[in-house]
């Protein structure tokens, strides 16, 4: 239920804005925002310059602060995420604990400590049925190859601990491809195991006091660009077929490939995470739930080269055959900046199906795409019941993108007639400044994407042709610039727009229109910063 902001809070913030304007305070930039011990801290200046209404050029820092404030007061702290992960605790008492140095590890950044990690975890396995155990990594730089976790384990890092991935590919084992992909994502055959790996586990916690896991990905990126990879690059963390997983209070840096990849998992919490990689680093996706259910992702900051958060569920005929969907995914309070991806993405590997996705409180800056759904003929599967709301964007090239011809197939055996079903997608309460294009929404010939609902969206757009739509059907209300013709039926006249709950409900639309209009809010903010 929407709760309007306290008037005293609003008044205080407006006074802050006015005084900041007079003092010409520089700040409130997004590009150096950090997540530190569960809180967002901002500093520095954003790289983009606002141009809304011709008056934003000198007011971008103030407007960025206003966008953050707008997102905060609009965020609904959804009870849905509590439902998805209701039975999980982010911390668990472990009666047994050891330190990695007890097994001969040396934190000098030079000594290879793979055996020490393996031996420590083998030893702790004897306590799995005695309440579990903790492996503590103290301050230092701990070079290692890939190692595997066990059930009922907490891997805990000191705030000054850095686990460093070896620069030698031979220290990263090669394992079988995922059955829902049929091959390595980049190359046929196997793939390198992630730095921290686990399969068929339960009750696993990877956490710390904002300690760091650094994949030293630059060498892998060079191999990728030079076409000298022998196998698909490794992730930093991958857990397969596992339940009750918590990943929290850590910084991930320079992953060779994707950063956090729970696949075939259930009951997963990812929270208070910082992910960092160069904006031009290839495929350094942030958090990728894949064929997983009951996943809650919150309070994360991601600055990388590809999608910030992206949901997947298998690739073409392999994903169709494996038939394990991603569902019940909650994403909230995410700040992201990506050089080549989107803030919130779905696909393109979605052949097992993706549904019941709720994303709220999203801040996207200096990025290629804001929100993106990717698919193609041959994928099959479905994307349905997706609700994305309370989004702010600044300096984003394309706010909304739905692409029905993304391409990329594992082999030539896919069924070209396996068309994906894309329906019941709701995007609402979005404000954007210095946006290139409002949206490109493209379905597939003979496979119109349906029930695409866009409501309460206000974007300051540079392009003279803000929307480009084809082979889609849907509805819109209070959208600026005016949405494309295929979406011009008013949301209020239909009962089939997905409201983010467990079923479609026309009654929920009334509560939506009780919220302040994004157009009204944006116009008010523009008037403020022009004073």
């Amino acid at each position: 239920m929407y709760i309007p902001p306290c008037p005293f809070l609003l008044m205080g913030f407006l006074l802050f804005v006015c005084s900041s304007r007079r003092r010409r305070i520089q700040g409130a930039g997004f590009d150096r925002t950090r997540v530190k011990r569960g809180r967002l801290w901002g500093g520095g200046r954003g790289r983009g310059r606002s141009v809304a209404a011709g008056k934003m050029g000198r007011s971008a820092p103030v407007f960025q602060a206003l966008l953050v404030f707008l997102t905060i007061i609009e965020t609904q702290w959804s009870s849905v995420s509590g439902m998805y992960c209701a039975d999980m605790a982010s911390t668990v008492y472990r009666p047994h604990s050891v330190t990695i140095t007890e097994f001969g590890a040396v934190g000098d950044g030079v000594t290879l400590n793979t055996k020490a990690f393996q031996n420590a975890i083998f030893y702790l396995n004897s306590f799995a049925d005695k309440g579990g155990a903790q492996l503590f990594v103290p301050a230092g730089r701990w070079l290692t190859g890939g190692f595997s976790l066990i059930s009922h384990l907490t891997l805990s890092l000191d705030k000054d601990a850095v686990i460093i991935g070896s620069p030698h590919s031979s220290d990263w084992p090669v394992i079988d491809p995922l059955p829902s992909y049929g091959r390595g994502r980049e190359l046929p055959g196997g793939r390198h195991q992630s730095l921290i790996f686990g399969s068929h586990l339960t009750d696993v916690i990877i956490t710390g006091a904002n300690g760091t896991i650094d994949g030293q990905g630059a060498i892998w990126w060079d191999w990728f660009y030079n076409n000298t990879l022998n196998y698909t690059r490794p992730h930093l963390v991958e857990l397969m077929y596992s339940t009750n997983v918590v990943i929290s209070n850590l910084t991930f840096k320079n992953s060779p490939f994707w950063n956090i990849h729970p696949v075939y998992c259930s009951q997963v919490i990812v929270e208070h995470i910082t992910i960092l990689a160069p904006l031009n680093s290839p495929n350094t996706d942030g958090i990728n739930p894949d064929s997983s259910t009951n996943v809650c992702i919150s309070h994360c900051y991601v600055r990388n080269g590809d999608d910030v958060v992206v949901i997947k569920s298998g690739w073409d005929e392999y994903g169709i055959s494996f038939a394990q969907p991603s569902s019940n995914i909650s994403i909230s309070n995410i700040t992201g900046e990506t050089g080549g991806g989107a803030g919130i993405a779905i696909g393109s590997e979605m052949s097992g199906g993706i549904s019941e996705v709720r994303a709220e409180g999203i801040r996207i800056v200096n990025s290629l795409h804001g929100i993106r759904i990717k698919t193609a003929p041959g994928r099959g599967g479905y994307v349905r019941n997706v609700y994305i709301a309370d989004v702010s964007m600044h300096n984003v090239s394309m706010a909304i993108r739905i692409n029905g011809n993304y391409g990329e197939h594992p082999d030539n055996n896919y069924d070209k007639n396996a068309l994906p079903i894309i329906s019941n997608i709701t995007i609402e309460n979005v404000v954007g400044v210095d946006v290139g294009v409002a949206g490109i929404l493209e379905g597939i010939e003979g496979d119109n994407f349906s029930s695409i609902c866009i409501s309460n969206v206000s974007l300051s757009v540079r392009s003279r042709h803000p929307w480009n739509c084809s082979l889609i059907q849907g509805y819109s209300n209070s959208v600026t610039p005016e949405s494309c013709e295929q979406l011009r039926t008013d949301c209020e006249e239909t009962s089939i727009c997905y409201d983010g709950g467990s079923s479609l409900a026309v009654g929920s639309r009334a509560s939506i229109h009780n919220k302040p209009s994004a157009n009204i809010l944006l116009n008010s903010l523009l008037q403020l910063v022009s004073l």
Side-chain angles (χ1 to χ4, degrees):
M1 180 177 68
Y2 174 70
I3 301 174
C6 168
F8 296 105
L9 179 61
L10 180 58
M11 183 180 298
F13 190 80
L14 295 179
L15 288 173
F16 160 76
V17 170
C18 293
S19 63
S20 298
R21 187 82 173 104
R22 287 195 300 269
R23 295 195 304 268
R24 300 177 180 269
I25 289 178
Q26 302 295 317
F30 282 60
D31 61 331
R32 297 182 186 174
T33 308
R34 295 185 57 113
V35 173
K36 185 175 182 181
R37 298 186 183 178
R39 302 190 181 188
L40 288 175
W41 297 89
R45 277 192 282 181
R47 295 184 299 132
R49 288 178 60 84
S50 305
V51 293
K55 298 180 180 180
M56 297 301 297
R58 294 184 301 275
S59 307
V62 173
F63 196 86
Q64 289 173 354
L66 287 163
L67 287 181
V68 172
F69 176 71
L70 175 60
T71 302
I72 290 171
I73 65 174
E74 285 277 329
T75 299
Q76 296 181 39
W77 301 100
S78 170
S79 61
V80 175
S81 63
M83 177 180 68
Y84 291 163
C85 304
D87 298 329
M88 296 187 63
S90 57
T91 60
V92 175
Y93 171 70
R94 307 293 193 193
H96 308 279
S97 181
V98 297
T99 300
I100 191 63
T101 53
E102 297 176 44
F103 297 84
V106 179
D108 59 3
V110 177
T111 303
L112 188 66
N113 295 295
T114 311
K115 283 294 183 183
F117 278 100
Q118 292 172 341
N119 291 340
I121 291 169
F122 178 80
Y123 168 76
L124 293 175
N125 196 40
S126 62
F127 300 102
D129 60 350
K130 302 178 180 65
Q134 172 179 274
L135 175 58
F136 178 68
V137 182
R141 297 176 59 80
W142 309 92
L143 183 70
T144 182
F147 61 91
S148 297
L149 305 181
I150 57 173
S151 294
H152 308 294
L153 176 73
T154 296
L155 175 63
S156 179
L157 278 66
D158 180 85
K159 66 181 179 65
D160 295 317
V162 184
I163 294 178
I164 305 172
S166 169
H168 303 293
S169 63
S170 58
D171 292 325
W172 303 68
V174 176
I175 58 177
D176 291 336
L178 294 170
S180 59
Y181 284 69
R183 47 160 276 185
R185 184 57 184 83
E186 298 181 289
L187 295 168
R191 61 203 183 97
H192 283 286
Q193 177 187 296
S194 61
L195 185 64
I196 300 174
F197 180 76
S199 183
H200 295 90
L201 306 181
T202 187
D203 181 23
V204 174
I205 298 174
I206 305 171
T207 190
N210 205 31
T212 300
I213 299 171
D214 187 344
Q216 296 200 107
I219 191 168
W220 294 91
W221 308 331
D222 287 342
W223 292 334
F224 168 78
Y225 284 126
N226 295 329
N227 296 312
T228 55
L229 288 169
N230 293 318
Y231 302 96
T232 293
R233 288 172 285 159
H235 315 304
L236 282 185
V237 173
E238 180 180 74
L239 296 175
M240 302 173 56
Y241 303 106
S242 297
T243 61
N244 292 307
V245 173
V246 177
I247 303 172
S248 67
N249 299 298
L250 292 168
T251 295
F252 292 82
K253 293 177 61 177
N254 302 319
S255 178
F257 201 40
W258 305 345
N259 279 267
I260 299 173
H261 186 221
V263 57
Y264 321 139
C265 290
S266 63
Q267 299 297 118
V268 178
I269 292 176
V270 180
E271 62 184 8
H272 304 307
I273 292 295
T274 299
I275 295 175
L276 303 172
L279 293 175
N280 63 350
S281 56
N283 310 112
T284 51
D285 296 13
I287 304 163
N288 293 24
D290 195 340
S291 291
S292 294
T293 61
N294 294 336
V295 179
C296 299
I297 302 165
S298 67
H299 296 91
C300 297
Y301 172 74
V302 180
R303 185 180 190 272
N304 63 350
D306 212 319
D307 297 324
V308 171
V309 177
V310 55
I311 305 167
K312 300 177 180 289
S313 69
W315 201 8
D316 285 5
E317 71 269 27
Y318 302 103
I320 294 171
S321 175
F322 195 73
Q324 185 160 336
S326 282
S327 62
N328 293 352
I329 311 291
S330 170
I331 304 165
S332 62
N333 295 287
I334 306 296
T335 297
E337 178 179 1
T338 167
I344 299 295
I346 295 175
S348 72
E349 306 90 334
M350 40 63 64
S351 303
I354 295 172
S355 68
E356 317 308 325
V357 176
R358 188 178 183 105
E360 298 175 277
I362 312 300
R363 294 163 288 278
I364 307 163
V365 299
N366 305 329
S367 297
L368 183 61
H369 296 99
I371 299 162
R372 190 176 191 188
I373 297 174
K374 303 175 278 187
T375 187
R379 290 289 192 268
Y382 55 84
V383 176
R384 63 186 180 218
N385 295 354
V386 174
Y387 179 84
I388 301 173
D390 304 323
V391 180
S392 65
M393 303 182 192
H394 179 263
N395 191 28
V396 172
S397 297
M398 189 177 303
I400 303 169
R401 180 79 185 272
I402 298 178
N403 187 350
N405 290 284
Y406 189 76
E408 288 194 323
H409 302 283
D411 51 40
N412 293 323
N413 298 321
Y414 68 94
D415 180 1
K416 296 178 176 62
N417 296 316
L419 300 181
I421 299 171
I422 311 297
S423 64
N424 299 339
I425 312 296
T426 295
I427 299 171
E428 64 182 15
N429 304 326
V430 179
V431 175
V433 172
D434 199 8
V435 173
V437 175
I440 297 179
L441 315 181
E442 301 169 320
I444 298 171
E445 189 72 41
D447 182 33
N448 282 17
F449 298 171
S450 62
S451 298
I452 311 299
C453 300
I454 300 178
S455 175
N456 206 25
V457 172
S458 191
L459 303 170
S460 172
V461 175
R462 297 189 298 268
S463 173
R464 296 176 61 186
H465 305 285
W467 295 93
N468 185 349
C469 303
S470 61
L471 304 172
I472 66 163
Q473 173 274 326
Y475 311 90
S476 63
N477 183 68
S478 299
V479 175
T480 303
E482 185 179 14
S483 62
C484 48
E485 184 176 352
Q486 294 90 331
L487 302 179
R488 286 182 187 169
T489 301
D490 197 316
C491 292
E492 294 180 305
E493 298 176 9
T494 179
S495 62
I496 65 172
C497 285
Y498 182 61
D499 70 347
S502 58
S503 63
L504 304 182
V506 64
S508 66
R509 311 307 301 174
S511 65
I512 289 169
H513 295 293
N514 287 334
K515 291 188 180 185
S517 164
N519 295 331
I520 295 172
L521 287 166
L522 181 61
N523 290 336
S524 299
L525 297 181
L526 292 173
Q527 291 173 12
L528 273 171
V529 296
S530 66
L531 294 177

